[in-house]
Amino acid sequence: KGFDRLVKAWGIVSSKHPDWHLDIYGGGSMYDNLMDLAKQCNAQNMTIHDSTPNISDEYATSSICAVTSYYEGFSLVILEAMKHGVPCVAYDCPFGPRSIIDNASNGYLVNDGDTEFFAERLCRLIENEEVRKLFSEKAIEKAKTVFDADVIMDKCKALYEEMLER
């Protein structure tokens, strides 16, 4: 999931915002490598957790979701974060993030692999509570109006009915 890219960006962010903390969920077998990388990048205030079955609890106490994947399908991580009003910063990697995040409206898309700008976008959200709140509201709105189960089911039903008419 590109946690190595996240740790590199966090090295930049944590030097500017030592009062903020990064929680990574699902480090698994990469734990030792990520901790070594954190030392190399001087990434402070960072915890790597095992996967959790109650990710909603974590979103409820989060301010920002950082998605540094090398590629994504349809990103449930981004969608779940938005549903909980957590604005996302994501690399514009192949496929998923662009189909969910409206850049500079409900989150930020960053050119794939641009660690410096990724860190800058995280810092912008950290430093601007009003922007975080606005993105949070827009994220919740998009999750409800575009990706809500009832909305999707209505679209599926309409598609099936259209296909049956043909």
Side-chain angles (χ1 to χ4, degrees):
K1 288 294 184 179
F3 291 145
D4 57 322
R5 299 182 342 158
L6 179 56
V7 169
K8 290 175 185 173
W10 190 251
I12 298 167
V13 173
S14 66
S15 69
K16 296 177 182 178
H17 299 284
D19 54 326
W20 278 67
H21 189 90
L22 173 66
D23 289 293
I24 296 175
Y25 289 89
S29 64
M30 293 190 63
Y31 180 86
D32 290 334
N33 292 342
L34 292 174
M35 293 309 291
D36 288 343
L37 182 59
K39 287 177 188 170
Q40 292 171 19
C41 297
N42 200 27
Q44 304 295 313
N45 300 326
M46 184 183 99
T47 306
I48 301 173
H49 306 272
D50 289 332
S51 297
T52 176
N54 299 316
I55 196 66
S56 289
D57 295 342
E58 305 309 328
Y59 286 128
T61 61
S62 298
S63 299
I64 302 167
C65 178
V67 180
T68 51
S69 301
Y70 287 92
Y71 58 91
E72 281 281 338
F74 183 80
S75 179
L76 292 179
V77 169
I78 294 173
L79 187 55
E80 289 171 340
M82 290 175 67
K83 177 184 164 196
H84 288 86
V86 181
C88 297
V89 177
Y91 280 128
D92 192 11
C93 63
F95 310 116
R98 177 170 292 280
S99 64
I100 303 171
I101 295 174
D102 300 321
N103 190 39
S105 174
N106 58 22
Y108 286 123
L109 289 170
V110 175
N111 286 336
D112 195 17
D114 189 343
T115 303
E116 295 283 331
F117 196 59
F118 194 95
E120 189 279 325
R121 295 283 91 176
L122 287 173
C123 288
R124 176 150 170 71
L125 287 178
I126 288 169
E127 295 162 3
N128 293 280
E129 186 175 358
E130 289 302 314
V131 173
R132 273 198 327 271
K133 286 181 182 178
L134 177 64
F135 282 15
S136 175
E137 292 167 7
K138 297 282 188 181
I140 291 169
E141 180 181 319
K142 183 161 187 179
K144 283 183 182 175
T145 60
V146 179
F147 297 112
D148 180 74
D150 290 337
V151 172
I152 302 253
M153 291 305 293
D154 288 344
K155 288 180 181 179
C156 286
K157 181 181 175 193
L159 176 63
Y160 290 137
E161 289 172 352
E162 179 184 328
M163 291 171 61
L164 287 172
E165 289 176 8
R166 292 181 182 182

Coordinates of all heavy atoms in Angstrom, one line a residue, residues 19 38 51 94 102 107 109-110 118:
D19 N 3.8 18.2 16.9 CA 2.7 17.9 17.8 C 1.6 17.0 17.1 O 0.7 16.6 17.8 CB 2.0 19.2 18.2 CG 1.6 20.1 17.0 OD1 2.3 20.1 16.0 OD2 0.6 20.8 17.1
A38 N 11.8 4.9 8.9 CA 11.4 6.1 9.7 C 12.7 6.7 10.3 O 12.8 7.9 10.4 CB 10.4 5.7 10.8
S51 N -3.6 -4.6 11.6 CA -4.9 -4.3 11.0 C -5.9 -4.3 12.2 O -5.8 -5.0 13.2 CB -5.3 -5.3 10.0 OG -4.4 -5.3 8.9
P94 N -2.6 5.0 -10.5 CA -3.5 4.4 -11.4 C -4.8 3.9 -10.8 O -4.7 3.2 -9.8 CB -2.7 3.3 -12.0 CG -1.3 3.7 -11.9 CD -1.2 4.5 -10.6
D102 N -12.4 14.7 -5.3 CA -12.5 15.9 -6.1 C -11.4 16.8 -5.6 O -11.5 17.4 -4.5 CB -13.9 16.6 -6.0 CG -15.0 15.7 -6.4 OD1 -14.8 14.9 -7.4 OD2 -16.1 15.7 -5.8
G107 N -10.6 16.8 -0.7 CA -9.4 16.2 -0.5 C -8.3 16.7 -1.5 O -8.6 17.6 -2.3
L109 N -5.4 15.4 -4.5 CA -4.7 14.5 -5.3 C -3.4 15.0 -5.6 O -3.3 16.2 -6.0 CB -5.5 14.2 -6.6 CG -6.8 13.5 -6.5 CD1 -7.5 13.5 -7.8 CD2 -6.5 12.0 -6.1
V110 N -2.3 14.2 -5.5 CA -1.0 14.7 -5.7 C -0.4 13.8 -6.8 O -0.6 12.6 -6.8 CB -0.1 14.5 -4.4 CG1 1.3 14.8 -4.6 CG2 -0.7 15.4 -3.3
F118 N 3.3 15.9 -1.6 CA 2.4 15.2 -0.8 C 2.5 15.7 0.7 O 1.5 16.0 1.3 CB 2.7 13.7 -0.8 CG 1.7 12.8 -0.2 CD1 0.7 12.2 -1.0 CD2 1.6 12.6 1.2 CE1 -0.3 11.4 -0.5 CE2 0.6 11.8 1.7 CZ -0.3 11.2 0.9

